[in-house]
Amino acid sequence: MLNFFFLYAAVWGAVFLLYSLGWSSLCTPLAPGVQSFFIVTILCSLLLGTVFRKAFRFRALPVCPRRSGGLTLLIVTLCFAEFAYCGQIPLLSILTGRADYLSYTGIPTFHPLLITCGVFYEQYLFYLFLCFPRKKGLLLEYLALVTAVQLLQYNRGGIVICATMSGLMLLSKLQSRIRLWHVLAVGVFGLGLLYGFGVFGNLRCGFAWNDCRYIAYIGQFDRYPEWLPRQFMWGYIYIVSPMANLNHNVLLGTARSDLLGYLSTFLPDFISRRLFPQTVGVQAAIIREELNATAGFDRAYLFGGVVGMYGMYAYLAVGLLLAIWAVRRSPLYRVPTLAICASIAVFLFFAHTISYSAISFPIVYPLLLSLFRIRSLHKDPALMPEVRCST
């Protein structure tokens, strides 16, 4: 379940299926270049996932690292310090109508570092809990971080990303013992998550929880099934509109040859903005102003055409493999790193996950910690002591 190659194939296969249902008039026929690209990369992913399948196995820790809840307390405290700095708790402000979704920015520069650190540490705590389920305090710390870092900040995307990472780790642990009820439970949880996503979407836009007029209008749902709750419109259009936007650009032929612009697509946004400022204002064409996501290959297409999209896929495949190779000797961080890599692959359908720091930057923390740990152990094997824990 942590095999990001298989996940890439599964996610894009699902997007193809939903797109082909054509519930929205925005789902125009796919250009040949788009069809060919996803068919080729899905097949390549299935091959690579099979070749490297052993690298993605869940491995439980034999011993529990000695730690305290100090970092959890620090992150939660800093989140509330940001609330005080901005004069609001976003969740409460939005629910009471005193603020909108984009009004909360936190402390400039510091905010993304706090959030991405929180995302990594959430997954680290959840991994420890999976290894040592009798240590209930780990789960409480995990829930405290999710509440402070994601829920109170009304970060819908963050909640979905963190739930995906944690869910993949859980399923990976249970993989050899998966039964039908596990599959059904995951299906029910996923449907509940999508339904809740729709409810929060209605609330965010100033409507009642069950008033879906806004999403029905912008999504142009002319063939939506009557038997399906309309809250699922949000999930459907969020899933298929990025492919629709990418297809729209290919049909319009918006690509251009720009080497510097193409290089900028391989970097997180906070770095590319400084190294290649001339590319900041370049935007893909979109089918509707409200639906501006264009999948993870939009900028690669804009600066390199369909060939550039293949280059981006190769960069992702090699880069993620190198990341898991880098933490191979650090069992503390290996599985959380796999979960982060998996999220980078999964959410390519909706965002340029390398450029989008909220998804890609959490991987920096386990890589740096792994490097520090290996160097420290080479100097003194007694560093970072561990104690045995019962499972």
Side-chain angles (χ1 to χ4, degrees), residues 295-318:
F297 300 99
D298 62 326
R299 294 183 70 80
Y301 172 76
L302 287 178
F303 296 120
V306 174
V307 174
M309 292 165 58
Y310 284 99
M312 173 57 70
Y313 173 81
Y315 173 78
L316 282 164
V318 174

Side-chain angles (χ1 to χ4, degrees), residues 121-310:
Y121 199 58
E122 287 165 12
Q123 304 315 311
Y124 175 70
L125 287 173
F126 192 73
Y127 171 58
L128 292 183
F129 175 71
L130 292 178
C131 295
F132 310 102
R134 293 182 182 178
K135 290 186 164 291
K136 305 300 183 184
L138 292 168
L139 183 59
L140 293 177
E141 288 185 55
Y142 169 80
L143 294 174
L145 284 176
V146 170
T147 299
V149 178
Q150 311 297 344
L151 182 59
L152 291 180
Q153 298 192 29
Y154 203 78
N155 187 351
R156 293 192 306 160
I159 292 172
V160 172
I161 292 167
C162 286
T164 300
M165 291 181 187
S166 300
L168 289 173
M169 282 193 286
L170 175 60
L171 290 174
S172 183
K173 179 185 178 182
L174 298 173
Q175 189 165 352
S176 61
R177 296 175 289 165
I178 288 181
R179 300 292 182 268
L180 178 60
W181 76 268
H182 290 128
V183 177
L184 294 176
V186 171
V188 171
F189 176 78
L191 290 175
L193 199 63
L194 285 174
Y195 186 87
F197 186 77
V199 169
F200 275 99
N202 291 333
L203 293 173
R204 187 191 73 175
C205 296
F207 292 84
W209 69 271
N210 60 345
D211 188 344
C212 300
R213 286 176 296 169
Y214 178 73
I215 190 61
Y217 168 72
I218 66 171
Q220 298 183 18
F221 287 96
D222 53 355
R223 284 173 287 183
Y224 189 79
E226 293 294 333
W227 55 267
L228 192 64
R230 295 170 73 84
Q231 283 82 354
F232 287 114
M233 286 181 172
W234 284 94
Y236 180 82
I237 205 64
Y238 266 61
I239 290 170
V240 302
S241 62
M243 178 176 276
N245 278 327
L246 178 62
N247 186 55
H248 182 59
N249 280 269
V250 175
L251 291 173
L252 291 177
T254 58
R256 61 183 183 178
S257 180
D258 186 337
L259 179 59
L260 293 181
Y262 188 62
L263 292 176
S264 73
T265 65
F266 298 143
L267 300 170
D269 51 9
F270 70 94
I271 296 177
S272 64
R273 283 198 303 264
R274 290 164 173 79
L275 293 181
F276 308 103
Q278 69 275 18
T279 67
V280 173
V282 180
Q283 299 293 333
I286 55 177
I287 48 179
R288 283 193 66 90
E289 181 181 357
E290 301 89 348
L291 303 172
N292 55 12
T294 43
F297 300 99
D298 62 326
R299 294 183 70 80
Y301 172 76
L302 287 178
F303 296 120
V306 174
V307 174
M309 292 165 58
Y310 284 99

Side-chain angles (χ1 to χ4, degrees), residues 28 46 48 58 96 116 141-142 184 244 265 281 325 354 371 383:
T28 55
L46 291 173
L48 291 170
F58 182 95
T96 57
T116 54
E141 288 185 55
Y142 169 80
L184 294 176
T265 65
W325 177 85
I354 293 298
L371 180 63
L383 290 177

